[in-house]
Amino acid sequence: MSTVLFASVVRVGDGLPLSASTDYEQDKELQDTKRHLKGLSKKLGQFPDRCTLKTGPYNVNFTSALGIGYLMVCTSNYPNVLAFCFLDELQKEFIVTYDPKRIGSAVRPYSFIEFDTFIQKTKQRYNSPRSLSTKINLADMQTEVRLRPPYQLSAEDLQAVNGFSARSASKYKNIAPSQVLEPVTLSGIVSCVLSVLCGGLNLLRGVHAIESILQNDDEDFNYVIAFFLGTAACLYQCYLFAYFSVWRNSKSFLALALICLSNMYLYELRNMWQILFHVAVGAFMTLQIKLRQPLGKAPDYNV
């Protein structure tokens, strides 16, 4: 008999279990499969957003989106399309029910255990496919699974998860989904506009400095370099605010340091208020970069 046996919801960033179905299966192979599930939940970020793992008589299927992973164990003969429809329903309900900030601030395992009620009801429906009333969703999922089939994890992949190596990370470099940042706030937009303004002012002054050098050989070319470095630092901060990057916060502090150093060098060409304005904008931009943290993984539809 093909059935859904177990399901859980975890936070992708650290693998914290948020909710799970309360089952009491004593089958040894199923318990072993659940242990695999626990190991996978801590490393979901290394894998594509939709995967299947075959473990003996059972299959483990999971999806991830917006920093949340949805995992399930079913019998090996359970249809893939139904499995991912099941996970899709869990995803939609969980996102609608719980606030992202509450999910991100959860520190205790199973903080949303009440979601088990919905998991159990959905399990019952999907364990009786004839009673399903989601024929349209089922057709859509059939098309999606055919066009973008789930990545098939192997025993080697599972070993790489349990004993993580750099080699396994590079294996999924072009498959794994990219990070999604929190929505842009009004203060973030203002900081970007001000940062672009400072970059434009630096660029304009740099061009004028080049013209002065061409007309007067006594001018210091280092001023040109300082203006252009200030422009590059301002624009790079805008890039860090808009896109996820490794060591993003550290890079933003380095860009701020470059803005400060370039303005210190230009103290003879700028008054104190101008210097304070450029440094304050750089500091404000750095703060906005730090506040705009990643939400999680976004599906990559080019797989």
Side-chain angles (χ1 to χ4, degrees):
M1 182 179 178
S2 59
T3 55
V4 177
L5 300 168
F6 177 78
S8 64
V9 181
V10 303
R11 192 164 60 195
V12 171
D14 54 7
L16 180 74
L18 303 175
S19 187
S21 55
T22 51
D23 302 294
Y24 301 96
E25 293 284 348
Q26 299 301 318
D27 181 85
K28 184 179 183 303
E29 286 184 300
L30 181 57
Q31 294 303 321
D32 290 340
T33 302
K34 286 184 180 180
R35 280 193 285 271
H36 293 330
L37 200 74
K38 187 178 293 185
L40 279 171
S41 66
K42 295 178 181 178
K43 300 294 182 181
L44 287 184
Q46 298 171 20
F47 298 112
D49 64 302
R50 180 185 294 156
C51 292
T52 295
L53 170 68
K54 296 183 182 298
T55 59
Y58 304 111
N59 284 355
V60 173
N61 300 289
F62 65 85
T63 63
S64 58
L66 300 176
I68 309 297
Y70 308 86
L71 307 94
M72 56 98 78
V73 178
C74 60
T75 52
S76 58
N77 58 348
Y78 194 80
N80 250 7
V81 173
L82 283 180
F84 286 105
C85 274
F86 171 78
L87 293 173
D88 190 55
E89 285 204 35
L90 296 190
Q91 176 186 325
K92 290 176 180 176
E93 182 67 18
F94 196 82
I95 290 173
V96 169
T97 306
Y98 300 106
D99 182 76
K101 290 184 179 179
R102 185 185 166 196
I103 296 171
S105 61
V107 293
R108 293 192 308 170
Y110 304 106
S111 298
F112 308 93
I113 193 61
E114 67 276 6
F115 189 70
D116 171 46
T117 303
F118 180 80
I119 295 177
Q120 295 292 5
K121 289 179 180 178
T122 310
K123 268 181 59 182
Q124 290 174 7
R125 287 174 52 235
Y126 277 84
N127 284 340
S128 303
R130 290 183 181 178
S131 67
L132 285 175
S133 59
T134 55
K135 299 299 182 184
I136 297 177
N137 291 340
L138 193 62
D140 290 343
M141 185 59 71
Q142 282 177 328
T143 302
E144 189 172 345
V145 168
R146 187 176 67 252
L147 295 176
R148 193 170 67 93
Y151 182 82
Q152 299 291 323
L153 293 175
S154 63
E156 180 186 347
D157 297 320
L158 194 61
Q159 290 171 3
V161 168
N162 294 331
F164 176 66
S165 65
R167 179 170 169 266
S168 64
S170 62
K171 178 177 180 180
Y172 305 107
K173 184 176 181 182
N174 296 320
I175 301 176
S178 57
Q179 287 277 9
V180 173
L181 296 172
E182 291 180 350
V184 177
T185 60
L186 179 60
S187 58
I189 295 173
V190 171
S191 66
C192 266
V193 171
L194 291 174
S195 192
V196 170
L197 175 63
C198 288
L201 291 173
N202 283 325
L203 181 62
L204 188 62
R205 291 292 301 274
V207 171
H208 287 166
I210 292 176
E211 292 176 352
S212 298
I213 289 173
L214 294 176
Q215 295 172 4
N216 187 355
D217 293 338
D218 293 336
E219 294 288 338
D220 189 355
F221 186 76
N222 289 333
Y223 288 145
V224 176
I225 296 176
F227 280 124
F228 285 162
L229 284 177
T231 299
C234 290
L235 297 180
Y236 188 58
Q237 282 199 321
C238 291
Y239 170 81
L240 291 174
F241 178 78
Y243 299 101
F244 176 79
S245 174
V246 179
W247 302 107
R248 185 164 160 267
N249 291 336
S250 299
K251 290 175 181 177
S252 68
F253 278 109
L254 289 175
L256 175 60
L258 187 57
I259 290 171
C260 294
L261 289 173
S262 62
N263 278 279
M264 286 174 60
Y265 190 83
L266 296 169
Y267 73 96
E268 292 183 352
L269 303 180
R270 283 177 169 159
N271 60 42
M272 185 57 66
W273 291 110
Q274 290 173 327
I275 292 173
L276 285 176
F277 174 73
H278 282 267
V279 172
V281 169
F284 185 44
M285 189 77 233
T286 301
L287 176 62
Q288 294 305 311
I289 291 170
K290 184 174 179 59
L291 291 177
R292 194 183 183 209
Q293 293 299 312
L295 272 176
K297 306 287 181 180
D300 182 1
Y301 294 103
N302 295 318
V303 174

